Amino acid sequence: MSDTKQRLLDGAIAAIREHGIAGVSARTIGAAAGVNQALVFYHFGTVDDLLSAACRASTAERVAHWSTRLASAGSLRELLAVGRALHEEERQLGNVTFLAQMLAGAQADQRMAAPTAGALQLWVDEIEAVLRRLLAGSPFAEVADVPGLARAVSAAFIGLELYDGVDPAGADQAMAALDQLALLIEIVDDLGPIARRALQAKVNRATRRD
């Protein structure tokens, strides 16, 4: 990738952080990137295409940054501990602000919906792989919709990041509740074979009724 294209990608992210999705334009992006605004159209065609490329590139970079840490989690509680660290670092870097603005833009402009969803899918795929590994052999693995759970975790992460801006104590309480849920799953996994079979049978009956 050329230096100019990278500067435009970085400039798009910086412009959204400063001006929000409603205030971003070729002019504000060019100013943030330190280049002529006409280069937005030369390299990317439209402002929307540049924003889409910036969203995917930024997300891919952050997923790669956290991939090793996520892969090292040996339990759901360790995964949540990584999530807490991720929460703090991404908040300080302003990445959640950028993603939230992209999501807001996608509500009003369907052209932004698909590329934004595609970027979010990078997080979903990463989390799904970790959940499949951590739940392997657990009674919950038999009934859990792991892809759906990965999407729920990703959505919760974004929601908690935004919630933290208006109610930090509430966001901490939500994270603590997730810790308790992870502990409960670990306790179930530590049950003896007889208790686990009984639990599995009960879960299967409840699933069939649903």
Side-chain angles (χ1 to χ4, degrees):
M1 181 179 295
S2 71
D3 178 64
T4 300
K5 290 184 74 173
Q6 185 60 58
R7 289 172 69 179
L8 286 168
L9 291 170
D10 294 340
I13 295 171
I16 283 189
R17 288 173 181 162
E18 181 177 355
H19 303 287
I21 192 68
V24 74
S25 65
R27 182 184 61 78
T28 57
I29 292 171
V35 301
N36 189 298
Q37 68 185 58
L39 292 175
V40 170
F41 307 104
Y42 176 78
H43 286 286
F44 291 95
T46 69
V47 170
D48 282 354
D49 287 340
L50 169 53
L51 295 178
S52 297
C55 185
R56 183 170 183 85
S58 173
T59 304
E61 190 275 330
R62 299 316 296 167
V63 170
H65 175 80
W66 287 99
S67 180
T68 300
R69 292 279 302 276
L70 289 167
S72 70
S75 67
L76 289 176
R77 282 194 292 171
E78 288 182 14
L79 176 60
L80 286 173
V82 175
R84 285 181 181 274
L86 189 155
H87 163 94
E88 182 60 25
E89 183 171 322
E90 297 304 301
R91 182 184 63 81
Q92 290 183 0
L93 290 174
N95 292 326
V96 176
T97 298
F98 170 70
L99 186 55
Q101 289 296 318
M102 290 296 295
L103 287 167
Q107 305 303 309
D109 185 349
Q110 281 301 304
R111 292 174 299 179
M112 301 296 296
T116 303
L120 288 174
Q121 188 65 40
L122 298 177
W123 280 116
V124 173
D125 291 342
E126 190 75 19
I127 294 170
E128 181 180 342
V130 177
L131 289 175
R132 286 192 183 281
R133 174 173 58 82
L134 295 180
L135 292 175
S138 167
F140 295 98
E142 299 291 329
V143 295
D145 174 6
V146 178
L149 183 58
R151 283 179 169 80
V153 170
S154 299
F157 163 69
I158 296 169
L160 283 174
E161 292 288 351
L162 298 176
Y163 192 39
D164 187 49
V166 296
D167 185 3
D172 286 342
Q173 186 178 15
M175 287 294 292
L178 290 175
D179 279 333
Q180 292 173 345
L181 179 60
L183 176 60
L184 177 60
I185 292 175
E186 288 183 18
I187 291 172
V188 170
D189 286 343
D190 287 339
L191 293 174
I194 295 176
R196 287 188 64 168
R197 283 198 297 271
L199 175 62
Q200 186 67 67
K202 190 166 186 177
V203 168
N204 290 340
R205 287 195 299 272
T207 302
R208 284 195 294 271
R209 285 198 299 271
D210 293 340

